[in-house]
Amino acid sequence: MAGRIPQQFIDDLLARTDVVDVIDSLLPLKKKGANYSACCPFHNEKTPSFTVSQDKQFFHCFGCGVSGSAIGFLMDYSHLSFVEAVEELASRAGVEVQREQGFEDRKPVRDLAPLRQMNERTSEFYQQQLRQHAGSNSAAAYLKNRGLTGEIAKTFQLGFAPPGWSNLLSSLGQDEASLTILRELGLIVSNDNNKAYDRFRERIIFPIRNKRGQTIGFGGRVLDSGEPKYLNSPETPLYHKGREVYGLYEALQSSAKIQRLVLVEGYLDVISLAQHGLTNVVAALGTAITREQIDLMFRSVSELVICMDGDSAGQKAAWRAVVNALPTLRSGRQIKVLLLVKGQDPDSLIRQQGVDYLSQLIDEAAPLSNYFFDYLAEQYPLEGIEGRAAFVEQARPLLGTLPEGTFADMMKKQLALLTQTDAPSAARFEEARSPARASSRAQGKKRPSLIRRLICTVLHEPQLAATIAVDEPWLNMDMPGMPVLKQVLQALNNEAELSPAMLLERLRGGENGRIINSLFAEEKLIGGEALGQEMLGAIARLKEQAKQARLEELLARSSELTDSERLEFRELIK
């Protein structure tokens, strides 16, 4: 197993990372005072209670209680393991993950390298079969008939799964460990009699690569009229079809200054357009376009053109993509929609009309705002009151998902104009916020205990912990919160330069994790020198409480005191 990731590397990585940038790339945030806010992605709510602090490099939801650092957000939001989240942050920061030698993780994290290596070997196997297998002539002829050259096939690493039930199985499944990996990757399957066989047979193979160029899955197209026409890898530890798009790696490799991506339906559309010089094209992976896929694309470009086939299925797919894209349209992002004529698809269009014609159509694609209202107007005619009412009822919740800002305001005003309603009515896209919520929470709130204030102070300003000696007698008092304070001080381990986010990561998974997260999220009402003075005052009062408690204990046993305890008693009453 790979070595443990050093704590120092994690600390340095968090120091390089801005939690606001990480979360905003996946969940649009709005500046609110010193912090940023949004509706929580981890539970349903209409009033934003999800807060991100740039100062503390920390997020917290006051509704459901979830909280953490940039690492924790990636783990919760993108369903990553701890190691995967660190690798993702490292990739964003442009650094290699460091590992210690000779240590194992306290909580072992699975090493996925064998799965990645098997996928690469499988891709090489299929590519070799396309070049050398006696039965590959039909596949090669099909690709040539689609106008594809050997060079473009090599760029996209196209392959061929030969006829037969065990070509891949007999080549790569030579031992039990390999068979286990092939099964987990969905490359071989078993029948009711537990007999294993190849998933892909007599198909053109399209390796699916992630943004880093790693092969994570495969798609296969049948060569005859068989069904299913396309067969994809199942969900695996490496492949999640709702989080990746086909051709993104190749598109990014084609140009260092790519500004726009064109989203199409199929693998062959991507490859055919690349063959003709349109290399900034990607495709969905046999599923409706998800928000995660759109966010993935927007991390690389500022403009996305949705170009679906001209049939009804293609038009429905375009609308679903637009609906899922609305929450991602923060400032600086733009979406256009290209509606092809019925019966057309990007591949046939570029072969018939040429690259210049299709490029012009892409340049002239309809802005999302036009497409959105035109699409709804076809479903709900605006001539009558009933149609306009239905139009508003359909549009209002969708526009309510837009990030707050100028674009959202203008879309809502346009809705009011089209439906002949007044702007205030059309702008009622969510439940009214309760202005009394914060004040009602504050009323009757008791002043926090000394221990609670001390813990919060150390969490907010870890360097102040240097004023506390770990062997001070007052730390041994039996009182609520003391175990939590000790855990925090132990995590600091005399390292005064830790940031709050670094400290939080060191406390991940501890027995008091929930309490610590909630204390971390509490607002810091004072700062600077005043915070240090308050901390010293709290420590002084705790020392006095410890002294008084010890004095009472000795008084209760006054007739049984030892010589040393009598000496201690005389010192305490001075």
Side-chain angles (χ1 to χ4, degrees):
M1 173 178 277
R4 185 176 61 188
I5 300 174
Q7 184 64 55
Q8 185 61 50
F9 175 81
I10 296 170
D11 292 344
D12 291 344
L13 183 61
L14 288 171
R16 291 169 178 256
T17 299
D18 187 344
V19 69
V20 172
D21 289 342
V22 173
I23 296 179
D24 192 49
S25 70
L26 300 170
L27 176 72
L29 299 173
K30 181 184 178 184
K31 192 80 162 67
K32 190 175 182 181
N35 297 324
Y36 294 78
S37 68
C39 286
C40 181
F42 305 114
H43 79 285
N44 294 324
E45 64 176 2
K46 296 180 179 179
T47 302
S49 61
F50 182 85
T51 299
V52 184
S53 169
Q54 199 160 39
D55 178 45
K56 292 189 283 184
Q57 290 294 302
F58 172 84
F59 73 89
H60 179 76
C61 176
F62 292 94
C64 66
V66 65
S67 56
S69 66
I71 294 174
F73 184 82
L74 288 177
M75 291 175 66
D76 293 338
Y77 185 86
S78 298
H79 310 292
L80 302 180
S81 68
F82 175 79
V83 172
E84 289 170 336
V86 171
E87 289 174 343
E88 173 63 21
L89 285 184
S91 175
R92 289 171 180 245
V95 297
E96 290 289 331
V97 177
Q98 299 175 8
R99 295 182 183 274
E100 295 176 350
Q101 298 300 319
F103 293 93
E104 291 187 355
D105 297 320
R106 284 174 295 176
K107 292 184 178 180
V109 177
R110 184 179 177 193
D111 183 7
L112 297 177
L115 276 69
R116 296 190 185 97
Q117 292 165 5
M118 182 62 78
N119 267 344
E120 296 299 339
R121 292 176 62 195
T122 300
S123 179
E124 292 169 3
F125 171 81
Y126 287 138
Q127 291 175 67
Q128 184 183 46
Q129 299 307 298
L130 179 60
R131 294 191 301 267
Q132 300 177 1
H133 195 277
S136 66
N137 291 337
S138 57
Y142 176 86
L143 294 174
K144 288 179 181 178
N145 188 52
R146 298 293 294 254
L148 303 181
T149 64
E151 183 179 353
I152 200 71
K154 183 178 180 181
T155 297
F156 285 87
Q157 299 187 344
L158 301 188
F160 174 61
W165 294 88
S166 60
N167 292 287
L168 182 69
L169 178 63
S170 59
S171 178
L172 300 184
Q174 298 171 345
D175 53 60
E176 193 58 41
S178 298
L179 286 172
T180 299
I181 293 175
L182 287 170
R183 285 193 183 94
E184 187 167 12
L185 292 171
L187 293 168
I188 62 173
V189 291
S190 299
N191 59 20
D192 294 339
N193 297 322
N194 203 32
K195 182 176 177 59
Y197 59 92
D198 292 354
R199 174 181 292 273
F200 299 105
R201 305 179 305 280
E202 202 165 1
R203 290 176 180 268
I204 295 173
I205 298 297
F206 304 86
I208 301 165
R209 292 191 277 186
N210 62 16
K211 196 174 179 178
R212 303 180 192 179
Q214 299 168 329
T215 302
I216 55 176
F218 299 89
R221 190 195 190 284
V222 73
L223 289 169
D224 52 26
S225 57
E227 293 292 338
K229 183 177 179 181
Y230 282 96
L231 181 66
N232 294 324
S233 292
E235 295 278 317
T236 74
L238 299 181
Y239 176 63
H240 307 280
K241 63 182 180 181
R243 287 163 40 186
E244 305 285 347
V245 292
Y246 179 76
L248 181 58
Y249 172 75
E250 290 80 4
L252 296 177
Q253 292 296 303
S254 70
S255 172
K257 296 183 179 180
I258 185 172
Q259 298 295 321
R260 169 200 286 168
L261 284 173
V262 180
L263 176 67
V264 296
E265 282 192 59
Y267 304 138
L268 284 168
D269 288 326
V270 172
I271 299 170
S272 178
L273 269 58
Q275 170 80 57
H276 288 83
L278 288 180
T279 57
N280 59 331
V281 184
V282 297
L285 294 169
T287 184
I289 298 298
T290 67
R291 176 174 169 175
E292 285 183 294
Q293 289 172 318
I294 293 167
D295 273 320
L296 173 67
M297 291 181 277
F298 271 136
R299 285 178 217 158
S300 301
V301 298
S302 58
E303 181 181 319
L304 177 62
V305 177
I306 298 170
C307 177
M308 297 290 147
D309 296 353
D311 56 18
S312 60
Q315 300 312 304
K316 289 178 181 177
W319 173 250
R320 287 195 300 270
V322 166
V323 168
N324 288 335
L326 292 175
T328 73
L329 289 178
R330 55 186 175 87
S331 178
R333 293 179 171 183
Q334 184 177 11
I335 287 182
K336 294 182 177 181
V337 182
L338 174 55
L339 297 173
L340 298 180
V341 176
K342 186 176 182 180
Q344 286 186 336
D345 58 65
D347 174 32
S348 62
L349 190 61
I350 201 169
R351 286 194 287 160
Q352 295 168 9
Q353 302 290 341
V355 64
D356 291 340
Y357 179 78
L358 181 55
S359 294
Q360 183 177 353
L361 289 181
I362 292 172
D363 289 338
E364 297 172 352
L368 178 141
S369 55
N370 292 0
Y371 170 81
F372 180 86
F373 290 117
D374 289 346
Y375 182 91
L376 286 179
E378 289 182 6
Q379 315 299 317
Y380 309 99
L382 294 168
E383 287 76 15
I385 293 176
E386 292 81 2
R388 292 198 296 272
F391 191 109
V392 170
E393 292 302 316
Q394 291 297 316
R396 178 179 291 155
L398 296 177
L399 296 185
T401 66
L402 285 168
E404 294 183 27
T406 304
F407 180 71
D409 293 341
M410 295 183 73
M411 288 288 284
K412 294 167 186 177
K413 288 178 182 177
Q414 182 66 9
L415 173 61
L417 180 65
L418 288 173
T419 56
Q420 302 175 34
T421 56
D422 60 353
S425 174
R428 187 166 32 87
F429 295 89
E430 58 183 358
E431 294 289 331
R433 290 182 172 87
S434 171
R437 185 177 66 160
S439 60
S440 64
R441 239 190 346 247
Q443 288 179 358
K445 193 173 183 180
K446 294 180 180 179
R447 182 172 176 79
S449 68
L450 289 173
I451 289 290
R452 186 183 188 93
R453 285 153 56 192
L454 201 53
I455 296 170
C456 289
T457 299
V458 174
L459 290 173
H460 287 302
E461 302 289 347
Q463 71 275 9
L464 293 178
T467 61
I468 303 175
V470 294
D471 58 350
E472 292 193 26
W474 64 269
L475 287 171
N476 296 318
M477 283 195 296
D478 182 14
M479 60 189 307
M482 191 60 77
V484 179
L485 177 61
K486 288 182 177 180
Q487 184 182 351
V488 172
L489 294 175
Q490 185 178 12
L492 280 166
N493 195 27
N494 296 321
E495 296 183 52
E497 299 303 315
L498 292 183
S499 70
M502 295 173 191
L503 174 57
L504 189 67
E505 276 306 317
R506 293 192 173 198
L507 294 167
R508 173 187 296 281
E511 59 179 336
N512 298 307
R514 237 182 184 338
I515 298 172
I516 289 170
N517 281 347
S518 65
L519 293 176
F520 196 96
E522 289 190 3
E523 185 179 1
K524 182 175 65 176
L525 298 178
I526 61 174
E529 292 184 6
L531 188 61
Q533 291 299 321
E534 183 184 75
M535 179 172 177
L536 291 174
I539 292 173
R541 287 190 290 277
L542 284 167
K543 286 181 177 179
E544 185 60 35
Q545 287 183 17
K547 176 181 176 181
Q548 189 61 36
R550 179 60 174 164
L551 187 59
E552 291 175 0
E553 179 188 350
L554 294 176
L555 278 171
R557 301 189 295 108
S558 58
S559 60
E560 305 171 356
L561 296 181
T562 64
D563 291 342
S564 61
E565 288 175 334
R566 288 192 183 93
L567 181 60
E568 180 186 0
F569 180 79
R570 283 195 292 270
E571 290 295 322
L572 289 173
I573 62 175
K574 282 182 179 180

